């Protein structure tokens, strides 16, 4: 990917972060309150939790949601002063939607 393609870089970084967040395991607040300090696990890896493995469908849903969010925000930016930002968001959404289309065969 060209370093000059700022829209693609921005969209992909944000989407990778969204995918990473979707893999996170929710923490139960009761577990956090119920552990006394002297019983807290210590040492390397003590706070590690296995990540969820997203299905392909779940990943597609996350990417589609990221694209939809960008298009929605771009639609709300109607003032002329925000035209550049709206165009950038539309370009980012287009990058994400191209990934959902799959490889082009020809």
């Amino acid at each position: 990917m060209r370093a000059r393609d700022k829209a693609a870089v921005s969209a992909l970084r944000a989407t990778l972060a969204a995918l990473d967040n979707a893999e996170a395991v929710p923490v139960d607040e009761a577990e956090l309150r119920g552990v006394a300090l002297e019983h807290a696990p210590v040492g390397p890896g003590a706070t590690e939790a296995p990540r969820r493995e997203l299905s392909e469908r779940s990943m597609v849903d996350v990417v589609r949601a990221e694209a939809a969010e960008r298009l929605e925000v771009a639609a709300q930016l109607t003032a002329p002063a925000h035209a550049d930002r709206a165009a950038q968001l539309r370009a980012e959404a287009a990058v994400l939607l191209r990934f959902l289309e799959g490889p082009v065969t020809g």
Side-chain angles (χ1 to χ4, degrees):
M1 178 181 313
R2 294 188 330 240
R4 292 175 292 201
D5 196 349
K6 292 179 183 179
V9 171
S10 176
L12 294 176
R13 280 185 181 157
T15 302
L16 287 173
L19 287 167
D20 192 45
N21 287 341
E23 291 175 338
V25 177
V27 177
D28 184 18
E29 285 188 36
E31 288 179 24
L32 294 175
R33 286 190 307 250
V35 177
L37 184 58
E38 61 271 12
H39 296 126
V42 294
T47 59
E48 295 296 318
R51 309 280 290 173
R52 286 189 284 186
E53 191 169 320
L54 296 178
S55 68
E56 185 174 341
R57 184 75 201 142
S58 296
M59 286 187 243
V60 167
D61 290 344
V62 170
V63 175
R64 196 177 310 275
E66 287 290 308
E69 180 180 339
R70 282 164 175 71
L71 291 174
E72 181 180 325
V73 172
Q76 293 173 2
L77 296 174
T78 57
H82 299 295
D84 288 344
R85 179 67 178 140
Q88 180 184 359
L89 289 170
R90 286 188 197 94
E92 290 178 13
V95 167
L96 297 176
L97 293 173
R98 276 197 307 267
F99 276 101
L100 295 179
E101 292 171 1
V104 176
T105 57

